[in-house]
Amino acid sequence: MTVNEDTFTNWKNREEIAESMIPVIGKLHRERDVTVLVHSRSLVNKSVVSILKTHRFARQIAGEELSVTETLPFLQALTTLDLGPSQIDIGMLAATYRTHADGLTVEEFTARAVAGATGANKIERGAGRDVVLYGFGRIGRLVARLLIEKSGSGNGLRLRAIVVRGGGDQDIVKRASLLRRDSIHGQFQGTITVDEANGTITANGNEIKVIYADDPSEVDYTAYGIKDAILIDNTGKWRDREGLSQHLRPGIDKVVLTAPGKGDVPNIVHGVNHDTIKPDERILSCASCTTNAIVPPLKAMADEYGVLRGHVETVHSFTNDQNLLDNYHKSERRGRSAPLNMVITETGAASAVAKALPDLKAKITGSSIRVPVPDVSIAILNLQLARETTREDVLDYLRNVSLTSPLKRQIDFISAPDAVSSDFIGSRHASTVDAGATKVEGDNAILYLWYDNEFGYSCQVIRVVQHVSGVEYPTYPAPLA
């Protein structure tokens, strides 16, 4: 047999193993609300090739290959346990077992590592929590996709309704079509049907009522059987407590804004300050996509090296707020054609850092340039550190943060030498550290942080909603503090 045949046979064997993993992953998710991960990347509803690619990607962050032959025994071990709702990272289990097996079998090691999700320790599945989307634009539709994807056994978040302004004939058909197909993020993974007579969109079995209203005061959600719901405002029309309080109608318990909040509205960056949300807080903001991109790595750097001051420059994809062609706009420069120009504009991300990281005393400034790409942005974070270090030390530290720290869902890490913006479309992390572009000299560090300002941000929104709803399940093995 030739070397090429050996390589191909090995690939076919791994395909067969990945194929055998799919029903196991699906059953754990469907019956027990267990999400199987590999280095923070979900394997639920993934194809054979996607599973193999997710394992292959481990070399970018862990520095060595991860094979399905290594993770399969841990997946099989999970099926023998009395698991409750949780997220279990079989990539981390395999990696940890390599160095900390302590003479245990895979089954014994797995049982010990996920003990918090088994037996008397496990979380009991609840009845689920209703969610309403107010607005159905770029972020609204991506949040809808994520809610539908994560509906699992039906015991988590349940998208019950979307609220929009009436748009004339076939409005609901057109909105369903926009959910079904997206020029950037591709086809919806599943089936969508429309019932115009009853005003519903059914997506993967989730029946979603389309409510038409021009103002929050027009809606009584209890009339649609909605109760104790979390409303996600994607419009950005109201940003202060007074305006957002209009949503606290019958059937709505909490309001989450997908834009920076003003005044005393808490700005939450999941992974950094979500644990500061008071149980009785009914109105909160998920800040901006750029704030979510820079705050986690800024916290990581401050924790390890100290930060005296910093500047963030965002090179940001254009948005619907800009004009396609030159036309009047209330803001300076944004009236100029977005697909044809680089446009200097303002960003509130730097000032928003203080809300998410109140203990950080460093002065952070910021500016932004909108560029002619439809999605994925990059933040260049220029930091003066409290002590000198080296590029190698910073990269080793950030790689470990992305793998094992409580920020591993927010911070990703890539060492590919030819990575470009389109590679990060669909990234679920708040931002990704580009190792090749990182510069460190003495007490100065410059980090290049890629982020999908649409999808990655939507994932952060979902994490906040899961947290305040009580369906944010623990991850095992537990991240290192």
Side-chain angles (χ1 to χ4, degrees):
M1 183 178 285
T2 67
V3 172
N4 284 341
E5 287 174 335
D6 283 339
T7 302
F8 185 67
T9 299
N10 177 264
W11 168 259
K12 300 302 286 184
N13 288 337
R14 286 188 288 132
E15 273 191 322
E16 185 176 1
I17 292 171
E19 189 173 8
S20 73
M21 296 170 80
I22 291 174
V24 180
I25 293 166
K27 188 173 183 180
L28 284 169
H29 184 60
R30 197 168 51 252
E31 296 183 359
R32 306 192 198 178
D33 275 356
V34 173
T35 300
V36 177
L37 313 170
V38 167
H39 290 313
S40 298
R41 290 164 169 79
S42 173
L43 297 185
V44 176
N45 292 328
K46 294 296 188 290
S47 67
V48 168
V49 171
S50 292
I51 290 173
L52 293 174
K53 286 180 69 176
T54 302
H55 280 73
R56 173 75 170 157
F57 187 80
R59 78 193 191 283
Q60 293 284 354
I61 47 180
E64 57 184 318
E65 194 81 17
L66 179 66
S67 173
V68 287
T69 59
E70 292 179 85
T71 59
L72 178 62
F74 295 93
L75 179 62
Q76 292 171 329
L78 293 178
T79 64
T80 67
L81 301 173
D82 181 24
L83 288 168
S86 55
Q87 300 187 103
I88 299 179
D89 195 322
I90 57 175
M92 284 302 301
L93 284 173
T96 308
Y97 187 72
R98 286 175 181 170
T99 54
H100 296 85
D102 296 333
L104 299 174
T105 66
V106 166
E107 292 76 15
E108 292 168 337
F109 180 85
T110 302
R112 187 173 71 174
V114 304
T118 61
N121 296 322
K122 70 181 182 181
I123 298 172
E124 293 301 325
R125 290 185 289 176
R129 189 71 176 269
D130 291 351
V131 178
V132 172
L133 294 178
Y134 197 95
F136 206 50
R138 297 297 303 157
I139 300 302
R141 292 194 297 274
L142 291 177
V143 168
R145 285 188 174 201
L146 287 164
L147 287 168
I148 294 162
E149 171 194 301
K150 294 178 181 297
S151 58
S153 64
N155 291 292
L157 300 173
R158 302 179 303 189
L159 177 56
R160 297 292 308 280
I162 62 172
V163 184
V164 294
R165 292 193 298 266
D169 284 349
Q170 292 200 310
D171 179 273
I172 191 171
V173 173
K174 292 176 181 178
R175 293 186 189 278
S177 182
L178 286 170
L179 179 62
R180 185 180 289 115
R181 304 177 184 86
D182 190 280
S183 301
I184 297 168
H185 301 283
Q187 297 277 341
F188 174 81
Q189 296 301 304
T191 64
I192 293 175
T193 57
V194 176
D195 184 340
E196 287 189 84
N198 291 308
T200 60
I201 297 171
T202 301
N204 290 359
N206 295 267
E207 187 175 272
I208 307 160
K209 180 68 178 179
V210 179
I211 302 171
Y212 293 101
D214 293 324
D215 188 84
S217 63
E218 298 177 8
V219 189
D220 177 354
Y221 295 94
T222 59
Y224 304 95
I226 296 169
K227 60 181 180 179
D228 194 33
I230 297 173
L231 182 144
I232 305 174
D233 185 327
N234 310 288
T235 68
K237 184 176 180 179
W238 305 279
R239 297 193 180 189
D240 60 11
R241 187 173 295 276
E242 181 182 1
L244 292 167
S245 293
Q246 299 176 75
H247 290 305
L248 294 174
R249 305 280 300 153
I252 302 300
D253 178 55
K254 295 181 185 293
V255 178
V256 175
L257 171 66
T258 63
K262 295 181 178 181
D264 67 343
V265 174
N267 279 250
I268 303 301
V269 174
H270 191 276
V272 174
N273 67 338
H274 67 277
D275 56 354
T276 66
I277 301 173
K278 298 176 181 177
D280 60 350
E281 179 60 72
R282 302 187 70 188
I283 295 174
L284 54 91
S285 156
C286 290
S288 71
C289 57
T290 301
T291 302
N292 277 265
I294 66 173
V295 166
L298 182 56
K299 173 177 168 51
M301 292 297 287
D303 287 349
E304 178 68 14
Y305 302 102
V307 173
L308 302 181
R309 64 176 293 115
H311 177 80
V312 59
E313 184 79 34
T314 70
V315 182
H316 200 291
S317 57
F318 64 81
T319 68
N320 270 331
D321 179 60
Q322 296 171 256
N323 291 335
L324 284 174
L325 296 172
D326 289 2
N327 208 344
Y328 171 80
H329 195 292
K330 64 182 180 180
S331 298
E332 293 181 357
R333 306 184 200 247
R334 291 198 187 191
R336 302 300 299 278
S337 173
L340 298 178
N341 295 290
M342 293 189 291
V343 179
I344 298 173
T345 187
E346 71 282 348
T347 176
S351 59
V353 168
K355 278 194 170 185
L357 285 175
D359 293 336
L360 181 70
K361 304 306 179 187
K363 179 177 176 58
I364 306 295
T365 58
S367 52
S368 179
I369 302 172
R370 297 285 180 92
V371 294
V373 294
D375 187 31
V376 179
S377 305
I378 190 167
I380 305 167
L381 192 57
N382 193 333
L383 303 175
Q384 181 186 354
L385 306 177
R387 65 178 174 89
E388 293 191 355
T389 184
T390 65
R391 181 173 182 271
E392 292 72 22
D393 187 76
V394 169
L395 290 179
D396 284 345
Y397 169 65
L398 291 176
R399 181 186 290 108
N400 287 330
V401 166
S402 75
L403 283 170
T404 63
S405 83
L407 290 171
K408 67 180 184 179
R409 297 171 72 191
Q410 283 70 43
I411 300 175
D412 203 1
F413 186 94
I414 190 168
S415 57
D418 56 353
V420 294
S421 62
S422 61
D423 296 329
F424 301 92
I425 293 174
S427 171
R428 294 175 182 244
H429 289 78
S431 61
T432 300
V433 176
D434 190 315
T438 300
K439 304 183 187 307
V440 179
E441 186 172 344
D443 65 352
N444 178 242
I446 304 175
L447 307 182
Y448 286 73
L449 308 166
W450 296 102
Y451 58 109
D452 185 329
N453 48 276
E454 293 186 335
F455 196 73
Y457 176 68
S458 297
C459 290
Q460 282 287 89
V461 171
I462 290 293
R463 290 171 189 137
V464 171
V465 173
Q466 287 177 317
H467 178 74
V468 299
S469 67
V471 294
E472 184 182 30
Y473 301 142
T475 301
Y476 297 96
L480 301 177

